[in-house]
Amino acid sequence: MLEIKNVWKTFNKGTVNEKQALCGVNLTLNDGDFCTVIGGNGAGKSTTLNAIAGVWPVDCGQILIDGKDISALPEHKRAPYLGRVFQDPMTGTVADMEIIENLAIAARRGKKRGLSWGVKADERFRYRQMLAEFDLGLEDRMSSKVGLLSGGQRQALTLLMATLVTPKILLLDEPTNYLDEEHIAWLKRYLLDYENAFILISHDIPFLNSVINLVYHMENQELNRYVGDYDHFQEVYAVKKAQLEAAYRKQQQEISELKDFVARNKARVSTRN
């Protein structure tokens, strides 16, 4: 479904602020792959999501969805394939527009829009039912401006907008921010029933473990794949790290012994002369 092949990205290339963000990144997701991307701050997690979404062009490499190369497509032309929840709910909505207008825009994602796109009665009824599921009173405030909502209300609206039309790939960046336990449970149920694939970035480890089956670890601007939940990744990674450290210590010991051998032989030759 989603393939990222050898993607590279450097910001501020050729300047003193040049930063290598992605180095030959590869990632593959199929239907039913519920994935998290983990790594330290600044490792490139959000950069990877932005590359998929088309926020900026990659330097080289390919991004394919269902075999179609979307690498050269601008962000708005990738909209039919993707749903996205941002870390900041302010980013995923239009503050100066009404709740119902935001939902109508999300419902028409990737579709051609005419000069008139009024919300019909059946559409309004559908939105009302969906909003009522959050139990935040939003169904009675559909004409309110989104900018007047609280952070939790706005994040709930962003989740609904991202999933209103089932996307091929769902991109979630800290989606549990601003959500209470009840709405985190709603999100968990939705993701477990999701029919396609998603990429999730979250520091909420219990939530991660409850919904994912695949981990991509971002380290040194590269992605490594681990099958299983976050706890399983930690176990496997700890073994891998210990093996690498042991190999490094052995290598350093061998180098030290070789240097000592060379030094002793040099001294022996010098004594003979």
Side-chain angles (χ1 to χ4, degrees), residues 19-196:
K19 180 182 178 182
Q20 186 80 61
L22 301 175
C23 302
V25 163
N26 293 281
L27 179 148
T28 300
L29 287 186
N30 296 304
D31 287 345
D33 282 345
F34 300 161
C35 163
T36 185
V37 177
I38 62 172
N41 291 333
K45 303 184 297 295
S46 294
T47 302
T48 300
L49 294 193
N50 285 333
I52 297 168
V55 174
W56 32 252
V58 297
D59 297 335
C60 65
Q62 287 182 298
I63 300 172
L64 302 98
I65 294 181
D66 287 345
K68 180 179 179 180
D69 191 344
I70 64 168
S71 307
L73 293 182
E75 188 172 5
H76 70 277
K77 288 193 175 181
R78 302 188 193 193
Y81 306 101
L82 304 170
R84 189 168 189 186
V85 176
F86 295 87
Q87 185 170 352
D88 180 0
M90 300 285 285
T91 307
T93 52
V94 184
D96 293 333
M97 296 183 72
E98 298 175 1
I99 291 174
I100 195 168
E101 291 172 332
N102 274 266
L103 289 169
I105 290 173
R108 290 158 176 77
R109 184 172 60 234
K111 298 178 181 178
K112 291 184 178 180
R113 300 171 192 168
L115 295 177
S116 176
W117 56 277
V119 180
K120 297 179 181 178
D122 60 340
E123 191 177 0
R124 180 181 291 272
F125 179 73
R126 178 184 171 220
Y127 296 157
R128 183 178 177 82
Q129 284 187 312
M130 289 178 163
L131 288 168
E133 290 183 19
F134 287 104
D135 196 26
L136 292 170
L138 295 178
E139 68 276 13
D140 296 320
R141 298 181 58 189
M142 290 197 295
S143 60
S144 296
K145 296 292 175 88
V146 171
L148 299 176
L149 303 181
S150 68
Q153 290 172 327
R154 198 159 179 170
Q155 188 73 311
L157 177 61
T158 303
L159 285 168
L160 181 54
M161 289 172 63
T163 57
L164 200 56
V165 178
T166 304
K168 292 283 187 181
I169 304 291
L170 193 55
L171 306 176
L172 304 143
D173 193 350
E174 299 289 355
T176 57
N177 283 1
Y178 304 99
L179 296 181
D180 58 24
E181 290 185 9
E182 182 181 351
H183 296 102
I184 290 174
W186 177 91
L187 177 58
K188 176 183 173 180
R189 289 193 301 272
Y190 178 86
L191 293 177
L192 290 175
D193 290 337
Y194 193 62
E195 61 188 29
N196 295 329

